[in-house]
Amino acid sequence: MKTPVTVLGLGAMGTALARALLAAGHPTTVWNRTPGRSPELDTLGATRAATAAEAIAASARTTATAGAGGGLVVVCLLVDDTVRSTLDGLDLTGHTIVNLTNSTPEQSRATAERLASAGASYLDGGIMAVPPMIGTPGAFIFYSGPQEVFEEHRTALEVLARPAYVGTDPGLAALYDIALLSGMYGLFGGAQHALALITSAHIPAADFTQQFLVPWLTAMLTSIPNMARQLDNGPVDTADSNLAMQAAAYENLVTTAQKQGVDPSLLTPMGELLRRAVATGHGESGLSALVGLLRAAG
Ligand code: FVH
């Protein structure tokens, strides 16, 4: 028999997780603060619990009947505070809590400590997928926490997405997650600014995006591994596109935004960083030098 799983939180993501577990044949108990959310799960065979406590207890009972390991509880709520208010005071003894709620590394470590005091095993997770991707090959989820707990539940977790275990420190999954989300928002911010410029001149967005924006960004992405190699192995002597040149050209980006009536606020921080790089003697370096400046500022 497949491991019984409890899912707490039936938002867009929790519902997708519960669906994937049900499709893979895991007995699945679900709970959501607002009752009756995602009624399709009932037809798919989910057991609906009236309270979070009942949902967790259900998973333990089914597990005992099945003779498998401790109850597996997947938590996918809005923010860390909601995880705390949902789990605090519940009997979690012997359960494994897998928390896939977005959090900071500090929040994840604090949750791990609280749940250890409550007698639970804890894995923190960071989902790198949107809900329709869950259970498909493109999705992956970072996990951190005790490796033996991850290995014990690996098979059930593989149903959700490719698991990427990143270490015992419970804060690591959140750090990887936030790093990728930060990269994504940088990319989206750049694309949104480009589209604001183009549409400010009444040029159709879709055609521009398909013909130019996506091919350009895709080509630029190929320079990132080189940047990473320079961070790991030290900078190469010369940069094809040095920072002094980029800082000078960057002024035109801000001026053009202003002239087109587009808010330059997504652009200005990068301009400041480029100027700081030149002012502190990195004018001949490549873009990887900016990573050092960001870290020094922290
Ligand atoms: N959806 C996505 O694209 C991203 C993909 C990557 C991972 N994120 C994170 O996943 C967490 C859940 O996201 P979600 O998409 O399921 O979010 P919602 O659809 O807004 O559902 C929120 C659920 O949280 C429940 N909730 C909110 N406040 C409370 C509370 N005080 N106590 C208990 N539960 C609470 C809410 O319940 P209800 O409003 O229906 O009663 C939903 O179940 C999130 O961390 C993303 O960053 C998703």
Side-chain angles (χ1 to χ4, degrees), residues 147-268:
Q147 186 155 13
E148 66 280 8
V149 176
F150 170 73
E151 293 302 339
E152 183 187 348
H153 294 289
R154 178 196 277 272
T155 310
L157 299 176
E158 276 171 351
V159 164
L160 307 176
R162 175 171 64 84
Y165 177 77
V166 291
T168 52
D169 169 1
L172 278 177
L175 184 65
Y176 276 72
D177 179 359
I178 297 285
L180 292 196
L181 292 181
S182 303
M184 177 190 83
Y185 279 110
L187 182 76
F188 284 169
Q192 280 147 2
H193 186 87
L195 289 170
L197 282 179
I198 284 299
T199 55
S200 74
H202 309 289
I203 299 165
D207 195 40
F208 166 78
T209 300
Q210 191 195 341
Q211 279 203 61
F212 304 117
L213 182 59
V214 170
W216 169 249
L217 291 179
T218 306
M220 289 303 98
L221 285 178
T222 61
S223 66
I224 295 177
N226 188 38
M227 224 183 284
R229 268 192 300 276
Q230 291 189 27
L231 287 171
D232 287 342
N233 306 328
V236 292
D237 287 345
T238 52
D240 287 338
S241 308
N242 70 49
L243 295 182
M245 174 281 291
Q246 296 201 47
Y250 206 90
E251 296 299 321
N252 291 343
L253 273 62
V254 177
T255 307
T256 303
Q258 286 160 342
K259 294 283 182 208
Q260 292 294 126
V262 170
D263 180 351
S265 59
L266 289 175
L267 289 183
T268 43

Side-chain angles (χ1 to χ4, degrees), residues 3-207:
T3 312
V5 185
T6 286
V7 177
L8 302 183
L10 296 179
M13 185 51 85
T15 300
L17 299 172
R19 264 177 180 279
L21 289 162
L22 288 163
H26 287 272
T28 304
T29 302
V30 297
W31 170 83
N32 192 62
R33 175 183 61 168
T34 306
R37 194 157 173 185
S38 304
E40 70 276 17
L41 293 176
D42 302 335
T43 345
L44 295 172
T47 303
R48 202 171 275 268
T51 63
E54 190 186 301
I56 291 167
S59 134
R61 257 201 318 277
T62 350
T63 300
T65 316
L72 179 58
V73 179
V74 173
V75 182
C76 193
L77 299 171
L78 191 58
V79 287
D80 182 67
D81 276 355
T82 59
V83 175
R84 193 180 324 207
S85 61
T86 299
L87 295 182
D88 276 5
L90 300 187
D91 180 8
L92 304 175
T93 316
H95 290 280
T96 296
I97 309 295
V98 178
N99 181 18
L100 302 180
T101 305
N102 183 274
S103 56
T104 67
E106 288 71 22
Q107 289 171 336
S108 300
R109 290 182 193 115
T111 305
E113 272 183 30
R114 275 200 319 279
L115 296 193
S117 321
S121 301
Y122 183 71
L123 287 176
D124 198 84
I127 303 177
M128 304 321 299
V130 291
M133 290 169 68
I134 292 300
T136 71
F140 61 101
I141 301 181
F142 291 120
Y143 291 100
S144 58
Q147 186 155 13
E148 66 280 8
V149 176
F150 170 73
E151 293 302 339
E152 183 187 348
H153 294 289
R154 178 196 277 272
T155 310
L157 299 176
E158 276 171 351
V159 164
L160 307 176
R162 175 171 64 84
Y165 177 77
V166 291
T168 52
D169 169 1
L172 278 177
L175 184 65
Y176 276 72
D177 179 359
I178 297 285
L180 292 196
L181 292 181
S182 303
M184 177 190 83
Y185 279 110
L187 182 76
F188 284 169
Q192 280 147 2
H193 186 87
L195 289 170
L197 282 179
I198 284 299
T199 55
S200 74
H202 309 289
I203 299 165
D207 195 40

